[in-house]
Amino acid sequence: MLELLEEFTQADPGYSAQVCVIHRDEVVLDISVGPDLLENSLIGVFSSSKGIAGVVIASLIESGALVLDKPVTAYWPEFGAAEKDDMSVRSLLSHRAGVLGLEGGFTLEELTNHTLLAARLAGSRPVWRTGAGHGYHAVTIGVFIEELVRRITGTTFSDLYRSTVKEPLGVDFHFGVDAEAQARVVSILPPLPAGNDGRSPLAAIPAGGILSLAFSIESLPPLYEQADHPLVQAFGPAAFGGVGNARSMATIYAACLPKSRHRLARPDTFAAMAQIHSNGPDLVLDVSTRFGLVFQVPDGRLPFGSPWAFGHDGAGGSLAFADPKTDLAFGYTTRRMPAPPGCDPRALRLAHAAQMWARSRDH
Amino acid sequence: MLELLEEFTQADPGYSAQVCVIHRDEVVLDISVGPDLLENSLIGVFSSSKGIAGVVIASLIESGALVLDKPVTAYWPEFGAAEKDDMSVRSLLSHRAGVLGLEGGFTLEELTNHTLLAARLAGSRPVWRTGAGHGYHAVTIGVFIEELVRRITGTTFSDLYRSTVKEPLGVDFHFGVDAEAQARVVSILPPLPAGNDGRSPLAAIPAGGILSLAFSIESLPPLYEQADHPLVQAFGPAAFGGVGNARSMATIYAACLPKSRHRLARPDTFAAMAQIHSNGPDLVLDVSTRFGLVFQVPDGRLPFGSPWAFGHDGAGGSLAFADPKTDLAFGYTTRRMPAPPGCDPRALRLAHAAQMWARSRDH
Amino acid sequence: MLELLEEFTQADPGYSAQVCVIHRDEVVLDISVGPDLLENSLIGVFSSSKGIAGVVIASLIESGALVLDKPVTAYWPEFGAAEKDDMSVRSLLSHRAGVLGLEGGFTLEELTNHTLLAARLAGSRPVWRTGAGHGYHAVTIGVFIEELVRRITGTTFSDLYRSTVKEPLGVDFHFGVDAEAQARVVSILPPLPAGNDGRSPLAAIPAGGILSLAFSIESLPPLYEQADHPLVQAFGPAAFGGVGNARSMATIYAACLPKSRHRLARPDTFAAMAQIHSNGPDLVLDVSTRFGLVFQVPDGRLPFGSPWAFGHDGAGGSLAFADPKTDLAFGYTTRRMPAPPGCDPRALRLAHAAQMWARSRDH
């Protein structure tokens, strides 16, 4: 992995990244390269936040407080409007709901107003009927998680995260950044225009379509500004508002592995969430995607691990995951948002090297 | 849009087209270009007929006469043969049934014999099992609609269309052409061979396969002759036998918009039909398609509007739709069948320009 | 077809193949070309075995001994572990189960141990949840068939094959090769490296992923050695252990045709199995595939017949199928495993020629 990082740095002198690899509860790599990021720097990880939110939800599933095959209305009665009364929690949390946004868009103020956006989404008609497929709920899956946590526990998602994950593990990952942490936050750099090879669905979002609805692009700031926005850093939206570093993400995922001494939930709980729930043509992104329950799982586009692996990437380039087959946890951040936005291809190369290393160590 | 039409005419001197755009019940464009089509000329619109049939069905759904989640057999008991007894009306009308045609094909005489083809389809085994996906029922979805109308109302589809859509709106669109209208019908010109770029599933239909079954190509006349055939013009099959013009199609779709003074059904009725019901690899066409209930809805191949838009294109090049988000209704016809057959790409460029214009007018 | 075989031989002097075509119970072609295969030579047919296994299963379905919409646990209670208690036999036999293999792989010894592998698969968690799609169960679908046969009939799959297919038809196709047959077995030649054009999912299976799981590549011998392995030839795994020739496969499929004098089951039984059950992006192979119940059915990648056709190909290049529309049965083997492994493209050209010939004979 060190040779890869050297290769990346030589090819791109402005390259900054954090990489952390944990194998069988042992930190085998925790490094930062480049001028801008230290190992304990913090950076907005965009949708890699969703994976951490998945870890938070796991404990509710394990305790039976959240039953995946119950209708959403069992927890959130207002959600039953517009023929959504039969939709299961499982559909909602595997990107199958079709409740992507609001016809007129929504602002960051509305998104960070706790109950307001959830109430409006509850009243809305899905873009597709359950059974038509799945598509990336880029923003709203976080609102669903926040509202379910609120309805079930009476606390906010970020409070539940703090008490069940952050404090027990002592990790430097934040949904809502305090003053101490704020001083260590490094801002995202916008994507370089030349880098856009046109392959990403986020390269240029046309106004008025389904992608624009899911990213609320008519009313939200540009993507690369979102994670650094004061409202986002203060509130910590579950969908994309996590602020952390490679080490903290790897540490959290390490605590999802079956053999970890710090286990956050039973292996079966994560194994059930890592089962492929949704696969194929994504109704929003118009490429093939693959999701478990909240988590992304490996596919040809994101080949980060075995069929038992689970994690998430982020538009800013980050990637973090756990792989029970190889006892591996991995975290990666970078400072420059890739063009097109999404998982930094270098993160996948590092993940592949880490997997090869872990397999060779087993023999 | 006028600049686009000029560009199209300069690039193709034989180009003939009608375009009609209605925004908030106001006709903002109603024009014909080229030597062959006047604004009030009539032309066969092929599968754009299906969209108009969707409008007819909407009133049955709204009144509760047709309940989408009931089995088809509730209205049409004979349809239950060959393990189809549980198939819902919703599956049938969202291209999920797999009842594509008959092993030996069928003729235009059989298709226009009212109950004969429906009876034979009712007895047949679907090509796929419900749940395996969806595929374009190019011809038979019209037979299903005709038979459901007959079973529920006791009248023919074209009579129901006449009394609930044509006469109330006073539109010049016909399922079954009378002598007055016949005089204004302009024939379809066959596709130019050189234009075939091989991208269309209809470019060359191999005998014996699923596509040949769905288009009954072994027993029907060539596609470009079908709309002009006397049997088709007399009977007006719901699937592809509508004869009209851009203005009449735009007028009908305008009456589907939530804010229209001439509303044919409640906004919720059309919103529910515009939800994506089927998406992904089409079992018949072997490309990705996206359907609501009867209607086509926008996707990457047919990007005509917002996630709330609904409409249909036709093999002869036509396109017509309504978009509740932009309060826009659009109709387009052309005389030369494209090669490959399907929506004229110029119609999509015009639709895009109309959408941009409507959005700019809103600001 | 003879001209095609001449063309193939001239282009590739090492080409060896058997072709057998039966039309309306009449053997219209039964030939071998090349230095290595005689008409009555035997060769391992890899996954073409699955199609023959489908024929065996048909009689259990027809008699009601195996009911497709019952849960697997009705026959095999232990299968209900890890939330599989509701999974239907239909899901299991149409590649929808997600029970692809074992995390640590399995050996040929384990695979040919009768109940051992079935017991371990029964306890395992599916890689995907039912409803997420389908993927090629390259090896395990055979284990499921073997175990269901054992549970339902008390005999082994190969005994049931022998008594219900092999002996009644007198065919030279074997699940488990005896000494007489062994003397006529020709070994598979490994794929030529230069031929690998990279299109096949089997061209290079990366370790650790879902494809490696489904083919158990970490613990089984290389693909081209499997069919010739003594354990495989002795046991005859239903998934890939059949040994036969073009004539025997064509003869078996001919007995599946509605008008055959030697019919093994009613036409409706095979028609129901030939309905498309699974279509679209294959979760294992990462290309689009199409399956009926056990059988493959034609799609753009394997266009061997009409929408009523059913059959299977094999990694060694073989192909065999029945097509009720054209009353055609077809068998093909070759000696050199294609690179990439899978149906020999020449088999598809021969099948197409046979179909054209059968259609022309009908007129």
Side-chain angles (χ1 to χ4, degrees):
Chain A
M1 287 170 274
L2 296 177
E3 308 79 53
L4 280 177
L5 286 169
E6 194 162 332
E7 176 194 329
F8 300 159
T9 303
Q10 284 179 356
D12 173 6
Y15 179 59
S16 292
Q18 300 168 322
V19 191
C20 182
V21 178
I22 300 177
H23 188 235
R24 298 183 183 153
D25 278 339
E26 178 193 349
V27 178
V28 293
L29 186 73
D30 181 16
I31 197 171
S32 72
V33 298
D36 293 339
L37 287 170
L38 304 177
E39 285 89 333
N40 72 340
S41 298
L42 297 172
I43 191 162
V45 301
F46 290 88
S47 294
S48 291
S49 309
K50 294 181 176 78
I52 310 303
V55 177
V56 175
I57 285 286
S59 63
L60 297 182
I61 296 169
E62 180 160 314
S63 72
L66 180 64
V67 178
L68 295 174
D69 291 316
K70 280 197 179 173
V72 178
T73 51
Y75 305 101
W76 180 5
E78 300 88 333
F79 190 81
E83 302 183 74
K84 299 195 301 303
D85 40 305
D86 285 340
M87 192 184 291
S88 69
V89 173
R90 192 183 292 284
S91 287
L92 193 73
L93 297 184
S94 57
H95 294 281
R96 307 184 77 82
V99 182
L100 295 174
L102 298 172
E103 191 175 330
F106 50 80
T107 63
L108 277 185
E109 285 74 14
E110 292 170 310
L111 176 64
T112 53
N113 182 281
H114 290 282
T115 57
L116 183 142
L117 187 54
R120 292 180 64 193
L121 292 171
S124 75
R125 179 178 295 278
V127 171
W128 61 80
R129 287 191 65 86
T130 300
H134 78 282
Y136 189 48
H137 289 60
V139 178
T140 57
I141 197 171
V143 179
F144 304 148
I145 290 171
E146 292 160 11
E147 187 67 14
L148 286 171
V149 167
R150 192 179 289 122
R151 299 280 177 145
I152 292 169
T153 68
T155 67
T156 65
F157 166 77
S158 56
D159 280 346
L160 184 67
Y161 163 69
R162 195 172 305 113
S163 63
T164 62
V165 178
K166 183 176 191 300
E167 289 171 1
L169 296 177
V171 285
D172 197 11
F173 189 96
H174 310 262
F175 285 102
V177 178
D178 62 20
E180 183 282 322
Q182 187 64 56
R184 290 180 292 121
V185 173
V186 172
S187 64
I188 307 289
L189 299 176
L192 297 173
N196 195 332
D197 63 356
R199 286 176 311 163
S200 163
L202 302 184
I205 301 181
I210 198 167
L211 198 54
S212 132
L213 174 68
F215 285 83
S216 204
I217 61 147
E218 295 172 48
S219 47
L220 291 183
L223 198 56
Y224 71 88
E225 291 182 6
Q226 291 178 14
D228 290 332
H229 194 285
L231 280 172
V232 170
Q233 299 220 338
F235 182 86
F240 64 90
V243 172
N245 48 35
R247 184 200 299 150
S248 58
M249 291 196 290
T251 303
I252 293 169
Y253 276 109
C256 303
L257 288 168
K259 298 174 190 161
S260 172
R261 290 186 305 275
H262 314 287
R263 242 171 48 194
L264 292 167
R266 288 194 298 267
D268 256 14
T269 303
F270 288 115
M273 294 178 78
Q275 283 182 295
I276 299 168
H277 282 60
S278 299
N279 182 64
D282 188 294
L283 277 151
V284 172
L285 299 178
D286 212 15
V287 296
S288 183
T289 58
R290 187 174 289 181
F291 294 98
L293 205 283
V294 181
F295 295 111
Q296 285 175 329
V297 290
D299 66 359
R301 204 174 57 98
L302 270 188
F304 58 78
S306 82
W308 298 273
F310 52 97
H312 218 290
D313 70 348
S318 60
L319 174 69
F321 64 84
D323 192 336
K325 186 172 186 192
T326 47
D327 287 311
L328 195 78
F330 179 90
Y332 177 89
T333 70
T334 188
R335 190 174 181 199
R336 171 78 65 190
M337 177 174 273
C343 181
D344 185 347
R346 294 171 291 205
L348 288 169
R349 289 189 61 196
L350 289 161
H352 181 70
Q355 292 278 13
M356 298 294 279
W357 176 85
R359 269 199 291 270
S360 71
R361 201 187 193 194
D362 280 346
H363 288 110
Chain B
M1 288 171 273
L2 296 178
E3 308 79 54
L4 279 177
L5 286 170
E6 195 162 330
E7 175 194 330
F8 299 158
T9 303
Q10 284 178 357
D12 174 5
Y15 179 59
S16 291
Q18 300 168 322
V19 192
C20 182
V21 178
I22 299 178
H23 188 236
R24 299 182 183 155
D25 278 339
E26 179 192 350
V27 177
V28 294
L29 185 73
D30 182 16
I31 197 171
S32 73
V33 298
D36 293 338
L37 287 171
L38 304 176
E39 284 90 331
N40 72 340
S41 298
L42 297 172
I43 191 161
V45 301
F46 289 89
S47 294
S48 291
S49 308
K50 294 181 176 76
I52 310 303
V55 176
V56 175
I57 285 285
S59 63
L60 296 183
I61 296 169
E62 180 160 314
S63 71
L66 180 64
V67 178
L68 296 173
D69 292 315
K70 281 196 179 173
V72 177
T73 51
Y75 305 101
W76 181 4
E78 299 88 333
F79 189 81
E83 301 184 76
K84 299 195 303 301
D85 40 305
D86 285 340
M87 192 184 290
S88 69
V89 173
R90 192 183 294 283
S91 287
L92 193 74
L93 298 184
S94 56
H95 294 281
R96 307 184 78 81
V99 182
L100 295 174
L102 298 172
E103 192 174 330
F106 50 80
T107 62
L108 277 185
E109 285 74 14
E110 292 169 309
L111 176 65
T112 55
N113 181 282
H114 289 282
T115 56
L116 181 141
L117 186 55
R120 292 179 65 193
L121 292 171
S124 76
R125 180 178 296 278
V127 172
W128 62 81
R129 285 192 66 87
T130 301
H134 77 282
Y136 189 48
H137 290 61
V139 178
T140 56
I141 196 171
V143 179
F144 304 148
I145 290 171
E146 291 161 11
E147 187 66 15
L148 286 171
V149 166
R150 192 178 290 122
R151 299 282 177 142
I152 291 169
T153 69
T155 67
T156 64
F157 166 77
S158 56
D159 280 346
L160 184 67
Y161 162 71
R162 196 172 302 115
S163 63
T164 62
V165 178
K166 183 176 192 301
E167 289 171 0
L169 296 178
V171 285
D172 199 11
F173 189 96
H174 310 263
F175 284 102
V177 178
D178 61 22
E180 182 283 322
Q182 188 64 56
R184 290 180 292 120
V185 173
V186 173
S187 63
I188 307 289
L189 299 177
L192 297 173
N196 194 333
D197 63 356
R199 286 176 312 163
S200 163
L202 303 184
I205 300 182
I210 198 169
L211 198 54
S212 131
L213 174 69
F215 284 85
S216 204
I217 61 148
E218 294 172 47
S219 46
L220 291 182
L223 198 56
Y224 70 88
E225 291 182 5
Q226 290 178 13
D228 291 333
H229 194 285
L231 279 173
V232 170
Q233 299 221 337
F235 182 85
F240 64 90
V243 172
N245 48 35
R247 184 200 298 150
S248 58
M249 292 196 289
T251 303
I252 294 169
Y253 277 109
C256 303
L257 288 168
K259 299 176 189 159
S260 171
R261 290 186 305 275
H262 314 287
R263 243 172 47 195
L264 291 167
R266 288 194 297 268
D268 256 16
T269 303
F270 288 115
M273 295 178 77
Q275 282 182 296
I276 300 168
H277 281 59
S278 299
N279 182 66
D282 188 293
L283 276 152
V284 173
L285 299 178
D286 212 14
V287 295
S288 181
T289 59
R290 187 173 289 181
F291 293 98
L293 205 283
V294 181
F295 296 111
Q296 284 175 329
V297 290
D299 66 359
R301 204 174 57 99
L302 270 187
F304 58 78
S306 82
W308 297 272
F310 52 97
H312 218 291
D313 70 348
S318 59
L319 175 69
F321 65 84
D323 192 336
K325 187 173 184 190
T326 47
D327 288 311
L328 195 79
F330 178 92
Y332 177 90
T333 70
T334 188
R335 191 173 181 200
R336 171 77 64 189
M337 176 175 275
C343 181
D344 186 347
R346 294 172 291 206
L348 288 169
R349 290 190 59 195
L350 289 160
H352 182 71
Q355 293 278 13
M356 297 293 280
W357 176 85
R359 269 200 291 270
S360 71
R361 202 187 192 194
D362 279 346
H363 287 112
Chain C
M1 288 172 276
L2 296 178
E3 307 80 53
L4 280 177
L5 286 170
E6 195 162 330
E7 177 194 330
F8 300 158
T9 303
Q10 284 179 357
D12 173 6
Y15 180 58
S16 292
Q18 300 168 322
V19 191
C20 181
V21 178
I22 301 177
H23 188 236
R24 298 182 184 154
D25 278 339
E26 178 192 349
V27 177
V28 293
L29 186 73
D30 181 17
I31 197 170
S32 72
V33 299
D36 294 338
L37 287 170
L38 304 176
E39 285 89 332
N40 73 340
S41 297
L42 297 173
I43 191 161
V45 301
F46 290 88
S47 294
S48 291
S49 309
K50 293 181 176 77
I52 309 303
V55 176
V56 175
I57 285 285
S59 63
L60 296 183
I61 297 170
E62 179 160 314
S63 71
L66 180 64
V67 178
L68 296 174
D69 292 314
K70 281 197 179 171
V72 177
T73 51
Y75 306 100
W76 181 4
E78 300 87 333
F79 190 81
E83 301 184 75
K84 300 195 301 302
D85 41 303
D86 285 340
M87 193 184 290
S88 69
V89 174
R90 191 182 293 285
S91 288
L92 193 74
L93 297 184
S94 57
H95 294 280
R96 308 184 77 80
V99 182
L100 296 174
L102 297 173
E103 193 175 329
F106 50 80
T107 63
L108 277 185
E109 285 72 16
E110 291 169 310
L111 176 65
T112 54
N113 181 282
H114 290 282
T115 56
L116 182 141
L117 187 54
R120 292 180 64 194
L121 292 170
S124 76
R125 180 178 295 278
V127 172
W128 60 81
R129 285 192 66 86
T130 300
H134 78 283
Y136 189 48
H137 288 61
V139 178
T140 56
I141 196 170
V143 179
F144 304 148
I145 290 171
E146 292 160 12
E147 187 66 15
L148 286 170
V149 166
R150 192 177 290 121
R151 299 280 177 145
I152 291 169
T153 69
T155 66
T156 64
F157 166 76
S158 57
D159 280 346
L160 184 67
Y161 162 71
R162 195 172 303 115
S163 63
T164 61
V165 177
K166 183 176 191 301
E167 290 172 359
L169 296 177
V171 286
D172 197 10
F173 189 96
H174 311 262
F175 285 101
V177 178
D178 60 21
E180 182 282 322
Q182 187 64 56
R184 291 180 290 121
V185 173
V186 173
S187 63
I188 306 290
L189 300 176
L192 297 173
N196 194 334
D197 62 357
R199 285 177 311 163
S200 164
L202 302 185
I205 300 182
I210 198 168
L211 198 55
S212 131
L213 174 69
F215 285 84
S216 204
I217 60 147
E218 295 172 48
S219 46
L220 291 181
L223 198 56
Y224 70 88
E225 292 182 4
Q226 291 178 12
D228 290 332
H229 194 284
L231 279 174
V232 170
Q233 299 221 337
F235 182 86
F240 64 91
V243 172
N245 48 33
R247 183 200 298 148
S248 59
M249 292 196 289
T251 303
I252 293 169
Y253 276 110
C256 303
L257 288 169
K259 300 175 189 159
S260 172
R261 288 187 306 275
H262 315 287
R263 243 171 45 193
L264 291 167
R266 288 194 297 268
D268 256 15
T269 302
F270 288 115
M273 294 178 78
Q275 283 182 296
I276 300 168
H277 281 60
S278 299
N279 182 64
D282 189 293
L283 276 150
V284 173
L285 299 178
D286 212 15
V287 296
S288 182
T289 59
R290 187 173 289 180
F291 294 98
L293 204 283
V294 181
F295 295 111
Q296 285 176 329
V297 290
D299 66 359
R301 203 174 58 98
L302 269 187
F304 58 78
S306 81
W308 297 273
F310 52 97
H312 218 290
D313 71 348
S318 59
L319 174 69
F321 64 85
D323 192 336
K325 186 171 185 192
T326 48
D327 287 311
L328 195 79
F330 179 92
Y332 176 90
T333 70
T334 189
R335 191 174 180 199
R336 171 77 65 190
M337 178 175 273
C343 181
D344 185 346
R346 294 171 291 205
L348 288 169
R349 290 189 59 194
L350 289 161
H352 181 71
Q355 291 278 13
M356 297 293 279
W357 176 85
R359 270 200 291 271
S360 72
R361 201 186 193 194
D362 280 345
H363 288 111

